[in-house]
Amino acid sequence: MKRKLKLITFIFLLGAGRLFAQEVLALAHTGDTKKGTPSTINLPVFEFRASSADHDLNSISKDMIGEHAFGQSVSEKLYLLESKYTYEVPIVPGNPQTRTMVRKPVIYDAVKKIERHLKKSVKKGEITTESASDDFNKVLDVAFNVLTAETESFEKTITETNDVNSLTSLFTKRVSLVF
């Protein structure tokens, strides 16, 4: 019986020694095996089919839209964004009250967040009105063209992005619209 106990203990210690040796080897190896590789991470680029919104923009009259700090074009596109992304549903049949529903709320909320951020940045003098207008025009163009596209991975990336500057960069630099 003592002999079996010694044999079992010996086998256990032999196995534990091997595991310990692997851990020591892993801790001792501090060098990077991929030398010369840049430390930047390649972020995914999203590609969506696009179409021109000129027909929709031409159908908007000046009476339908209000003034916007970034200009007439942005004002027209914001009106179009509201009309395409939101719709009214009755709360109860027969009741005149309605509830506003949003298609693709993640994208819609991101566009609204970018608009607020750009307005604040212009007000603080961090960026020019022209630069903010150009960026927001690109954001609105992306928002129009992804409305009918499959955007699960894009929406997931939006929800994972917690910085408004990164969100603006996502819409303006990492989305490719193919006409």
Side-chain angles (χ1 to χ4, degrees):
M1 181 72 168
K2 285 186 176 182
R3 187 174 175 141
K4 286 184 182 179
L5 185 60
K6 287 181 182 179
L7 184 61
I8 291 173
T9 305
F10 178 73
I11 292 173
F12 174 74
L13 290 176
L14 184 64
R18 285 186 180 178
L19 290 175
F20 183 71
Q22 290 293 324
E23 289 179 15
V24 169
L25 180 63
L27 291 174
H29 182 66
T30 58
D32 188 13
T33 58
K34 296 180 180 179
K35 292 182 180 175
T37 323
S39 62
T40 59
I41 299 171
N42 291 334
L43 299 173
V45 175
F46 300 95
E47 187 173 294
F48 298 105
R49 296 190 60 99
S51 62
S52 177
D54 292 337
H55 181 271
D56 292 332
L57 291 173
N58 291 336
S59 65
I60 299 172
S61 70
K62 306 273 187 222
D63 299 332
M64 300 166 82
I65 58 173
E67 293 293 320
H68 197 275
F70 298 147
Q72 183 72 24
S73 173
V74 171
S75 181
E76 291 172 351
K77 288 182 179 183
L78 271 175
Y79 178 81
L80 193 59
L81 179 85
E82 290 288 330
S83 66
K84 288 189 179 252
Y85 271 82
T86 61
Y87 61 97
E88 301 286 326
V89 294
I91 294 175
V92 178
N95 191 347
Q97 293 179 335
T98 58
R99 178 184 311 150
T100 302
M101 302 298 289
V102 178
R103 294 178 184 93
K104 299 199 181 199
V106 172
I107 296 171
Y108 181 80
D109 292 340
V111 170
K112 290 298 192 176
K113 187 184 292 186
I114 290 170
E115 178 188 17
R116 285 190 305 271
H117 172 71
L118 289 175
K119 280 184 178 179
K120 286 180 184 177
S121 296
V122 167
K123 192 173 184 178
K124 290 180 182 178
E126 295 172 354
I127 58 173
T128 64
T129 306
E130 293 81 21
S131 174
S133 177
D134 290 341
D135 286 348
F136 197 55
N137 267 318
K138 291 177 188 175
V139 168
L140 289 171
D141 288 338
V142 169
F144 295 140
N145 289 300
V146 300
L147 181 63
T148 58
E150 183 63 37
T151 58
E152 283 183 29
S153 61
F154 183 59
E155 290 179 26
K156 182 180 177 192
T157 304
I158 290 172
T159 56
E160 291 172 352
T161 305
N162 53 5
D163 181 28
V164 182
N165 289 327
S166 301
L167 197 60
T168 306
S169 175
L170 171 68
F171 273 85
T172 58
K173 295 183 176 108
R174 290 179 43 203
V175 174
S176 174
L177 297 176
V178 179
F179 287 94

